Amino acid sequence: MEKATYLILTIAFLSFLGCQEEDMTADAETSGTHLVTSEALLSWEGEYEVDGCGFFITIGDQTYKPKNEDFIGDSFKVSSTTGTEVSVTYEILDTAVERYCGDLPAPLVTPGIKLFALEKGN
């Protein structure tokens, strides 16, 4: 009897996981989200509190400002003249991201990007 109960619970659990995955895919399709994965260069320009400008991501010859910078872990906060090579899954936003940073009198306006996955490159 116990084996049958475990089998039923396992099937129910796997069915639940399958439904969750379908729901997330359906939500992405209905919201028009188009995710892309590519190699990029991640730049850390310092903390906002000390006149830094946070993170920037360069893909090809275009530099973007992540709308969801808090998605990026502290381990990527590395000052470097060349940046950090990463693999990123993202969505390019229709709106620019505005941030007050450094000692600029007006906000820095940069094309926006929303991050979904980020891994250090080779």
Side-chain angles (χ1 to χ4, degrees):
M1 191 64 115
E2 275 186 37
K3 289 182 182 179
T5 303
Y6 285 122
L7 180 59
I8 291 170
L9 289 174
T10 301
I11 291 170
F13 180 71
L14 292 175
S15 296
F16 174 75
L17 288 178
C19 291
Q20 288 286 346
E21 187 173 324
E22 287 177 22
D23 290 345
M24 289 188 304
T25 303
D27 289 345
E29 289 173 1
T30 58
S31 70
T33 301
H34 179 67
L35 301 182
V36 179
T37 301
S38 62
E39 300 302 311
L41 192 63
L42 178 68
S43 301
W44 169 243
E45 303 295 328
E47 297 286 350
Y48 290 103
E49 295 81 15
V50 291
D51 293 334
C53 286
F55 287 104
F56 291 91
I57 294 180
T58 303
I59 301 169
D61 60 354
Q62 181 64 55
T63 300
Y64 300 93
K65 184 73 173 159
K67 180 179 181 178
N68 58 337
E69 281 185 271
D70 56 336
F71 178 84
I72 304 171
D74 288 343
S75 65
F76 288 97
K77 292 181 177 179
V78 177
S79 295
S80 169
T81 57
T82 59
T84 303
E85 291 182 15
V86 294
S87 174
V88 63
T89 301
Y90 60 94
E91 171 189 18
I92 295 178
L93 302 176
D94 293 335
T95 58
V97 174
E98 295 183 15
R99 289 284 193 173
Y100 283 94
C101 62
D103 57 0
L104 301 174
L108 179 67
V109 180
T110 311
I113 192 170
K114 183 175 181 183
L115 304 176
F116 290 89
L118 181 72
E119 296 178 2
K120 284 189 178 180
N122 296 336

